[in-house]
Amino acid sequence: MDEFYEYDYDSKNKKDGIGKYILVAVISAVITCLLLFYIGSSFGFISMEQSDKTDSEDGQEQEQIIGEDSEVFTQENTTNIGSDTPIIDIAKNVGSAVVGIVNKMEITRGFFENEISEGSGSGIIISDDGYIVTNNHVIENASELVVILPGGEKVNADLVGKDSKTDLAVIKINKKNLPAAKLGDSDRLQVGETVVAIGNPLGSELAGSVTSGIISSTQRDLVIDGKQLNLIQTDAAINPGNSGGALVNLNGEVIGINTAKQQGVGIEGIGFAIPINDAKPVIQQLIENGYVSRPALGIVMAEINEKDAKEYNVPVGIGVSQVMINGPADKAGIVPGDIILEVEGQEVKKLDEMQKQLEKFKSGDAVNMVVWRDGKEYNISVKLGEYSKVFSE
């Protein structure tokens, strides 16, 4: 405005008569109003157009990232929230369903002295009435479990069930109307897909930490603490205390349970999570039964590879080292020294192949096997037993 008046109050206009001065003043006033209206309208139009364009572009980008099948975050609600990326929405929505877990363990130091040691991890609320899934190693040997909710409230928790084989556990708190995470489909994951890890690295002081990365691999068969696990690999930062926390896709769905990381000098960005599709049936059984029912043959197995087969002149397969007395295999006539070649028509040459075949059945099922013994092959039907019962007797 100062520039405009300075420009109109030009020295040339001062030398004219009063009539000209009034006429010029009137014309100037009219021009001023017109210019102000035009400039104001233009700025308003440009500002509105830019805002609409930004919202439209953001919405379009959001739709492309999330995909047409999204049920959690859509163009409409992300625009309303005003977030720049879906990660912000994930932090707000899924983060409220990720809790801290404190494991208080009583350790005996002597005949008269006991000590309480504390460990910490994370968990995911999977139902609004208080069921929480976490890792078995997070709650193992606990004399007391305390859940720290987002916001800091501490609530005692009860153990519902645990399964050391899959490193999964379910605990429960006595609370209602809790925010529950939505479980996704880990079978649809692709290498390179963006994911978000939420948990409490290094304890409750860093509760609710959010990191992001990509899926580095969808299937890693690793042995951790003597357990064979099928895991998702990610470069999203996972640290001690993150165990039991959520690995989330851009739809805001939990597709993995953060479990471990590769450590060592020069190693960086190698974390692992249990695929949620592997966890779902285990979680269901833990809630329903308190344990996981698995079929068992009642044998101790050994893998016979090609080198062993050539050296001892036997076929490649699964060797039977020991047979549990009165167990399913014993009752079916399997003896130490037998080599299992097939299970229900499927060749088995490795221990993990044998295990995967058995996991297709349940205790009580009759399974047909081809067994090699002293140069001959036999067809044997075995009625599978309950793992927990077979190996506890």
Side-chain angles (χ1 to χ4, degrees), residues 152-338:
E153 182 183 358
K154 296 181 179 181
V155 185
N156 286 330
D158 296 318
L159 177 63
V160 175
K162 61 180 182 177
D163 183 53
S164 61
K165 181 177 175 61
T166 56
D167 195 24
L168 291 170
V170 174
I171 62 177
K172 191 176 188 303
I173 58 175
N174 188 21
K175 297 280 287 185
K176 302 293 183 183
N177 301 318
L178 293 168
K182 181 178 180 181
L183 306 185
D185 182 359
S186 55
D187 289 344
R188 298 178 63 186
L189 286 176
Q190 299 183 65
V191 173
E193 182 176 338
T194 300
V195 287
V196 177
I198 307 176
N200 300 341
L202 309 181
S204 58
E205 292 82 3
L206 301 178
S209 291
V210 176
T211 58
S212 66
I214 63 168
I215 295 294
S216 305
S217 175
T218 57
Q219 290 186 330
R220 293 292 191 207
D221 289 325
L222 301 176
V223 177
I224 301 177
D225 289 338
K227 305 176 186 72
Q228 181 82 31
L229 298 173
N230 170 50
L231 300 169
I232 299 166
Q233 181 184 334
T234 178
D235 68 348
I238 295 175
N239 292 289
N242 270 116
S243 289
L247 191 67
V248 187
N249 64 16
L250 289 184
N251 289 339
E253 300 165 333
V254 176
I255 45 81
I257 299 171
N258 299 326
T259 298
K261 68 172 294 185
Q262 186 75 40
Q263 293 180 320
V265 178
I267 296 175
E268 185 176 319
I270 304 179
F272 301 97
I274 299 170
I276 201 64
N277 284 14
D278 291 355
K280 285 176 182 177
V282 176
I283 293 169
Q284 183 176 353
Q285 287 199 55
L286 290 177
I287 292 175
E288 292 177 355
N289 308 319
Y291 66 95
V292 176
S293 174
R294 288 193 179 86
L297 284 171
I299 62 174
V300 177
M301 298 179 286
E303 192 173 293
I304 305 214
N305 56 32
E306 291 185 4
K307 180 181 177 183
D308 294 330
K310 288 180 181 178
E311 184 175 350
Y312 297 101
N313 194 28
V314 296
V316 174
I318 305 301
V320 179
S321 300
Q322 297 178 39
V323 178
M324 309 295 289
I325 297 174
N326 292 324
D330 184 32
K331 292 177 181 178
I334 292 176
V335 298
D338 286 352

Side-chain angles (χ1 to χ4, degrees), residues 4 66 87 113 245 264 284:
F4 180 82
I66 292 175
I87 295 176
E113 185 180 353
Q284 183 176 353

Side-chain angles (χ1 to χ4, degrees), residues 3-11 13 24 28-29 31-32 35:
E3 290 180 1
F4 180 82
Y5 277 109
E6 184 180 351
Y7 176 77
D8 280 347
Y9 201 74
D10 190 86
S11 58
N13 293 333
V24 169
S28 296
I31 293 172
T32 300
L35 284 173

